[in-house]
Amino acid sequence: MSTQPPGARISGSGRALGARCVSNDELAAELGSSDDWIVARTGIRTRYFIEPGQSNTSLALEASRAALADAQRNASELDAIVFATLSPDMVFPGNGVLLQEALGVAPIPALDVRNQCSGFLYALSVARAWIVSGTYRRVLVVGSEVHSTGLDMSPRGRAVSILFGDGAGAVVVEAVDSHVQEGGALEPVRLGADGSGARLLFCDRPGAAHHPSITCDDIEAGRHFAHMEGRQVFRRAVELLSQEVAALIARHSLDPKRAVLVAHQSNRRINELVATRTNIPEDRVLHTIEQWGNTTAGSIPMALDLARRERRIAPGDPVIMAAFGSGLTWGTTLMWG
Ligand code: UT7
């Protein structure tokens, strides 16, 4: 047996979407927006909303089953679950235990991560650390969101509500002998946060800082909906993601022309600007926002799953994952194709 600590690799991925495809035109009249504005400012043409019978947990379950099948593993072989979401089915407990029950894998631990758009990369960093430290050998990492039940569908909410869709992505992360070169190997995840920007993108009702945590007045005023300072978030996203992706490219001495960029999908223009500033060719950048909208913690594992299944990642390709969002929080990592 090797005395080296194990490495970690992604051995399978899966995704799921809300059942109903919703076009810009369907939202435009209600929100006081237009297909032209949405496409020009965000790149989004459609998003998917859940139908009755679906939930955050059911999307996560579908994505997890697909990831396990892709990894050729049974759920009973999992050692732990890490679940990232900002839209759990209940205030508490978190969705990790709900997914654990749905998969029938009690009593393995289930951890919930609350880092919004960066949630998947924060979750992945935990899974990788558990594996590299020898704590667990096989961890399911999920990013899953249901936004459609919490959007302000009036003109007041249009800047936020046009962006979001429902979807889930999941990956199986496994221990691998560190001297063996296998596809999907993960380098350490580099994370960051800046709490001074917490009120640039937030939702504070219901919130325990308030007595009571939510009132009818709050609902009347729409305080239970997300609030975003869009331009400021956009500017910070471009700056920080460009800086962090450039730092990752330098750290690993990568040729950016060979890299594949699988970034969080919050606005097509953000990812185009980041790619231009870091010399990653446009045809090596994954764009899923056009079809799926912004699915927050789900967007990176969903895009990664698409890239793997459509064979847009060749063996040995450096795949850069990068996220930025509410918190403010961010993260980057490198996976070898
Ligand atoms: O995933 C988490 C991280 N989130 C992000 O990274 C999102 C970052 N921000 C953005 O993507 C963009 O800021 C938005 C897409 C949200 C907004 O685009 P923008 O180009 O920054 O527009 P803006 O907020 O500066 O608004 C420009 C104009 C305003 O009208 P006036 O004041 O110039 O007359 C808005 O009222 O566009 C108006 N507007 C809209 N018009 C039609 C804002 N939202 C809409 C809308 N439809 N949906």
Side-chain angles (χ1 to χ4, degrees):
M1 222 177 103
S2 167
T3 52
Q4 293 267 63
R9 68 178 281 259
I10 290 180
S11 58
S13 62
R15 65 178 191 272
L17 282 165
R20 191 164 74 87
C21 182
V22 178
S23 69
N24 290 342
D25 281 335
E26 191 177 327
L27 300 180
E30 214 178 349
L31 292 176
S33 187
S34 67
D35 179 53
D36 286 349
W37 192 96
I38 299 169
V39 173
R41 305 311 293 165
T42 70
I44 298 169
R45 291 180 190 275
T46 57
R47 75 286 291 140
Y48 289 76
F49 287 175
I50 57 164
E51 289 279 43
Q54 290 188 297
S55 65
N56 187 317
T57 305
S58 78
L59 294 182
L61 179 63
E62 193 182 329
S64 300
R65 284 185 172 146
L68 286 161
D70 186 38
Q72 300 185 329
R73 295 290 183 188
N74 293 317
S76 59
E77 295 176 274
L78 292 172
D79 296 324
I81 295 170
V82 191
F83 198 126
T85 187
L86 67 67
S87 52
D89 288 331
M90 295 194 256
V91 174
F92 72 87
N95 270 20
V97 293
L98 303 182
L99 178 63
Q100 186 228 46
E101 199 219 351
L103 283 168
V105 291
I108 67 167
L111 171 69
D112 282 75
V113 168
R114 292 285 307 270
N115 288 75
Q116 300 71 247
C117 309
S118 314
F120 176 74
L121 291 185
Y122 270 74
L124 195 63
S125 78
V126 173
R128 185 184 179 281
W130 277 344
I131 287 170
V132 172
S133 66
T135 308
Y136 300 120
R137 289 191 64 80
R138 198 164 299 118
V139 182
L140 178 67
V141 181
V142 182
S144 179
E145 306 286 359
V146 169
H147 288 301
S148 60
T149 52
L151 296 175
D152 182 354
M153 287 300 181
S154 73
R156 178 182 62 187
R158 65 181 181 176
V160 170
S161 300
I162 50 134
L163 295 172
F164 293 100
D166 303 339
V171 296
V172 177
V173 187
E174 306 209 25
V176 59
D177 280 346
S178 45
H179 62 274
V180 177
Q181 294 290 316
E182 278 199 73
L186 282 171
E187 300 289 349
V189 186
R190 192 163 123 149
L191 301 171
D194 175 8
S196 72
R199 296 216 160 236
L200 292 178
L201 176 48
F202 70 98
C203 176
D204 69 351
R205 298 295 202 289
H210 307 282
H211 304 267
S213 61
I214 190 161
T215 64
C216 293
D217 279 355
D218 291 332
I219 292 175
E220 197 66 31
R223 294 189 195 100
H224 57 308
F225 295 126
H227 176 84
M228 175 167 67
E229 299 296 332
R231 274 187 208 186
Q232 287 192 63
V233 175
F234 187 102
R235 189 175 48 77
R236 294 286 297 271
V238 174
E239 276 168 13
L240 248 153
L241 285 169
S242 303
Q243 187 183 305
E244 290 296 312
V245 169
L248 181 144
I249 288 171
R251 210 163 47 245
H252 294 281
S253 306
L254 301 179
D255 173 3
K257 302 272 179 282
R258 279 203 59 208
V260 178
L261 181 62
V262 181
H264 170 52
Q265 307 283 315
S266 58
N267 187 318
R268 186 181 171 111
R269 290 185 296 137
I270 292 177
N271 291 349
E272 285 171 349
L273 284 163
V274 171
T276 304
R277 290 183 183 191
T278 55
N279 299 314
I280 299 174
E282 179 52 30
D283 63 356
R284 311 278 290 172
V285 181
L286 261 289
H287 293 293
T288 61
I289 194 162
E290 180 172 339
Q291 311 145 257
W292 300 340
N294 180 345
T295 56
T296 311
S299 65
I300 289 181
M302 289 168 72
L304 182 67
D305 182 58
L306 183 80
R308 292 176 83 249
R309 287 176 195 269
E310 289 191 347
R311 306 208 179 285
R312 293 177 61 178
I313 301 171
D317 272 356
V319 180
I320 298 172
M321 293 185 247
F324 173 89
S326 163
L328 302 169
T329 57
W330 57 90
T332 48
T333 193
L334 179 66
M335 184 193 88
W336 294 101

